[in-house]
Amino acid sequence: MRHRQSRRLSGRPLRIGCGAGYSNDRVEPAVELVERGDLDYLVFECLAERTIALAQQAKARDPQAGFDPLLRQRMEAVLAGCHGRGVTLVTNMGAANPQAAAGCVRDVARRAGLTDLTIAVVTGDDVTAMVANGPYRSIELDEPFDPGSVVSANAYLGADPIVEALHRGADVVITGRVADPSLFVAPILTALGWAGDDWPRVGLATLAGHLLECAGQVTGGYFADPGVKDVPHLERLGFPLAEITAEGGIVVTKVSGSGGLVNTATCTEQLLYEVHDPAAYVTPDVVADFSGVTVEADGVDRVRVSGADGRPRPEMLKVSVGQHDGWIGEGQISYGGPGAVARARLAAEIVAGRLALVGPVPIDVRYDLIGVDALHGGVSRPVGEPYEVRLRVAARVSTEAEAWRVAREVESLYTNGPFGGGGASTTVKPVLAMRSTLLPRSAVAWRVDYETV
Amino acid sequence: MKLRDIAHGRAGDKGDTCNISVIAYDRRDYPRLQREVTAARVRECFDGIVLGEIVRYELPQLGALNFVMTRALGGGVTRSLALDAHGKSLSSALMNLEIPDPPADPAP
């Protein structure tokens, strides 16, 4: 195996980019990063909380499925460019089936005529059998898991297996459930020679990873508010990269000429995104402390962040457990013109009356007037009557048949409800509740397998 | 005036917990945020939505506050019946908060 990490930097900062912030993210910004970002590493972060549970269900239907549906497209777009430039890829697009994902990467590499490409596959995060049959309790409900309801259980691995893979010369590292920042922490520690128990350094690497992990969210995506916070060219938003020095300096930036912007405001929003106690951001690698972080401009589309700290990593690993939890039936219908809101409210009363008369009795039900109170209930009171409004009824029930009955009660407003209803739609979906539990680190045995094309 | 005139923010979700950052455009407005955007006012704003506790974290060097609200997302993104199951739009509701106008500049 090669040890190629050390030859790259020779004094200049490490350059690490983020090519995706979620599974269905845009593909072209990653290509732009590879071609013009002068990167050492490109990371694709593609697993939201429930993505892996859905992937487990896909794998149950087809043993070759269960990895990210855009993996092939992404690899076709960037693999040759990365290989030619010596850019190492790290991704959790393996989801519930990292082995099959590696097969897909191998296939793309062969078709592209690439050789001398080492793919590392990280497994061991899948602890479904252990959680379904063990004495574990849901943190949220404080009750044991019903084995029959458990669809998936995946432990959040940290940076360790990726660090091992990178030290052994992997060009592509495919994982399943790994904590999002760890995908970045591993290359940072490896390239800069930082120790995994140098807690302040791991805290810094986690800060960089946290800022990068949602891709466009730090380069002006999810930020624009016309006239208040304007962002140029969101249609070709550039994805971020960080420059990190061996001394611990971190600058967040993007490829020059790409759309979007990087400034202290975009970085501060992302810094606190999905963070609870800023002094204790817990990952499998470290308890990071962002409470003293400062964010300062360092030129055009360049922001310097500093002041992160860290304390020893937790002994317990968080496990995401996907459980069957009933069904949701939903129906929608629109009303327009004068009196639209009153007719939509009458329609809602009719549906509520029907459910009381003929059932099913929902476990939970919600009546929304989209355009009036669907997002924040009474919080956002509209000024005046909207021209059009859409009634939405959503109910949680026990069975698929009941979910359809709720949905059809809305549809039947066509011929049985108020004047002028239009555009009815119905949706029924199974609920996959995500809950969590904790496992001792020692109970989760990860491994890394290698294959060279 | 509205909170939106001096601050911006972003909502994030983890399970049934929502966090919303409130960040001053101008660091000098941070004391106003500290004074006006209390956990109690945020609770009023999300009456009927947030069922659990609301904790405020202060980040003076960023001119920012971070509110962490439990039982805020109808059971979390995978279970919620809400149209916005992530609660991503909750930050825009908070930006609607009325805050007192700043005192007029003293005469030169």
Side-chain angles (χ1 to χ4, degrees):
Chain A
M1 291 281 181
R2 296 150 297 170
H3 292 259
R4 58 168 58 163
Q5 312 306 328
S6 53
R7 72 176 161 78
R8 281 189 176 141
L9 299 178
S10 60
R12 75 166 175 83
L14 167 71
R15 291 171 69 89
I16 180 168
C18 183
Y22 79 106
S23 174
N24 288 326
D25 212 341
R26 293 177 187 168
V27 175
E28 318 90 80
V31 177
E32 182 181 49
L33 270 174
V34 172
E35 290 178 350
R36 301 187 43 227
D38 190 20
L39 296 183
D40 301 295
Y41 295 92
L42 179 63
V43 176
F44 291 91
E45 195 292 287
C46 294
L47 282 184
E49 244 179 356
R50 67 169 159 176
T51 317
I52 204 161
L54 296 169
Q56 291 268 23
Q57 290 182 314
K59 183 183 173 187
R61 290 190 294 271
D62 172 3
Q64 285 308 305
F67 60 87
D68 192 285
L70 288 183
L71 174 68
R72 177 173 292 274
Q73 190 187 336
R74 289 202 172 100
M75 289 301 129
E76 286 172 348
V78 303
L79 191 59
C82 285
H83 199 49
R85 291 172 174 84
V87 179
T88 304
L89 286 168
V90 179
T91 181
N92 55 11
M93 276 190 277
N97 202 346
Q99 295 287 6
C104 176
V105 176
R106 182 179 62 223
D107 187 51
V108 171
R110 285 188 179 148
R111 284 167 193 263
L114 305 181
T115 54
D116 193 27
L117 180 97
T118 299
I119 305 165
V121 184
V122 176
T123 52
D125 59 301
D126 187 339
V127 290
T128 308
M130 201 186 307
V131 168
N133 304 309
Y136 304 102
R137 300 173 76 83
S138 151
I139 292 172
E140 292 79 5
L141 305 178
D142 192 25
E143 62 186 39
F145 293 104
D146 167 11
S149 74
V150 173
V151 174
S152 68
N154 293 80
Y156 280 84
L157 302 181
D160 292 349
I162 306 173
V163 167
E164 181 187 296
L166 295 175
H167 273 300
R168 293 189 60 182
D171 301 289
V172 181
V173 184
I174 306 265
T175 77
R177 182 79 274 173
V178 166
D180 300 355
S182 305
L183 298 169
F184 299 85
V185 168
I188 294 169
L189 299 187
T190 307
L192 299 178
W194 294 352
D197 60 357
D198 182 345
W199 308 117
R201 287 279 199 252
V202 181
L204 272 175
T206 299
L207 170 64
H210 175 68
L211 287 168
L212 293 173
E213 69 180 65
C214 294
Q217 272 196 189
V218 78
T219 51
Y222 212 65
F223 182 80
D225 197 353
V228 183
K229 296 187 288 176
D230 289 308
V231 181
H233 296 295
L234 280 164
E235 78 286 355
R236 53 183 174 86
L237 182 68
F239 282 179
L241 66 100
E243 300 171 355
I244 305 164
T245 65
E247 295 72 40
I250 303 173
V251 169
V252 178
T253 184
K254 67 184 183 69
V255 173
S256 68
S258 61
L261 58 83
V262 179
N263 64 22
T264 56
T266 67
C267 289
T268 307
E269 279 196 21
Q270 188 57 27
L271 172 65
L272 294 174
Y273 179 66
E274 292 183 346
V275 166
H276 292 169
D277 179 353
Y281 182 68
V282 182
T283 80
D285 304 317
V286 67
V287 178
D289 182 352
F290 297 162
S291 64
V293 168
T294 57
V295 173
E296 55 190 334
D298 184 57
V300 176
D301 289 324
R302 292 176 61 83
V303 169
R304 182 172 296 280
V305 290
S306 50
D309 204 346
R311 300 190 297 280
R313 66 188 194 180
E315 270 317 301
M316 305 294 277
L317 295 181
K318 183 177 165 183
V319 178
S320 259
V321 183
Q323 281 188 291
H324 287 300
D325 192 20
W327 291 75
I328 291 177
E330 182 185 321
Q332 297 189 9
I333 189 165
S334 287
Y335 295 89
V341 172
R343 279 179 281 129
R345 288 200 198 285
L346 172 59
E349 285 164 23
I350 294 169
V351 174
R354 288 289 297 168
L355 295 182
L357 273 176
V358 300
V361 178
I363 299 163
D364 198 5
V365 63
R366 178 174 170 129
Y367 300 89
D368 293 322
L369 297 193
I370 298 175
V372 178
D373 63 4
L375 288 180
H376 307 140
V379 171
S380 59
R381 297 185 192 283
V383 181
E385 165 104 356
Y387 179 76
E388 62 187 40
V389 63
R390 189 161 175 83
L391 168 67
R392 170 180 181 268
V393 180
R396 187 195 323 284
V397 290
S398 303
T399 66
E400 184 177 8
E402 288 179 339
W404 278 116
R405 280 168 56 200
V406 173
R408 285 184 190 127
E409 282 301 343
V410 179
E411 193 182 63
S412 75
L413 292 166
Y414 265 141
T415 52
N416 301 279
F419 153 69
S425 63
T426 53
T427 320
V428 162
K429 62 178 182 189
V431 180
L432 195 56
M434 293 309 297
R435 302 206 164 96
S436 352
T437 192
L438 296 170
L439 281 182
R441 203 172 267 281
S442 57
V444 180
W446 52 262
R447 59 173 287 167
V448 189
D449 294 295
Y450 302 87
E451 177 186 1
T452 298
V453 177
Chain B
M1 63 193 293
K2 302 277 193 198
L3 179 56
R4 178 182 192 244
D5 296 325
I6 62 165
H8 61 104
R10 179 174 295 181
D13 71 295
K14 273 200 198 301
D16 201 13
T17 300
C18 173
N19 86 289
I20 301 181
S21 58
V22 176
I23 305 158
Y25 284 109
D26 185 332
R27 198 68 48 83
R28 287 170 296 186
D29 283 326
Y30 177 69
R32 293 175 69 196
L33 296 186
Q34 241 184 338
R35 189 170 61 240
E36 303 299 337
V37 195
T38 59
R41 287 221 62 197
V42 172
R43 177 168 294 288
E44 268 172 48
C45 179
F46 294 122
D47 183 33
I49 296 178
V50 174
L51 307 179
E53 60 174 353
I54 298 180
V55 177
R56 183 175 93 163
Y57 295 96
E58 301 183 1
L59 297 128
Q61 83 285 5
L62 298 174
L65 302 171
N66 189 37
F67 293 91
V68 179
M69 313 186 289
T70 55
R71 297 177 62 214
L73 297 172
V77 62
T78 53
R79 296 192 79 234
S80 172
L81 294 180
L83 187 62
D84 173 16
H86 290 92
K88 294 211 175 238
S89 69
L90 291 174
S91 55
S92 50
L94 188 55
M95 290 302 144
N96 200 33
L97 199 72
E98 280 292 339
I99 58 170
D101 291 338
D105 285 337

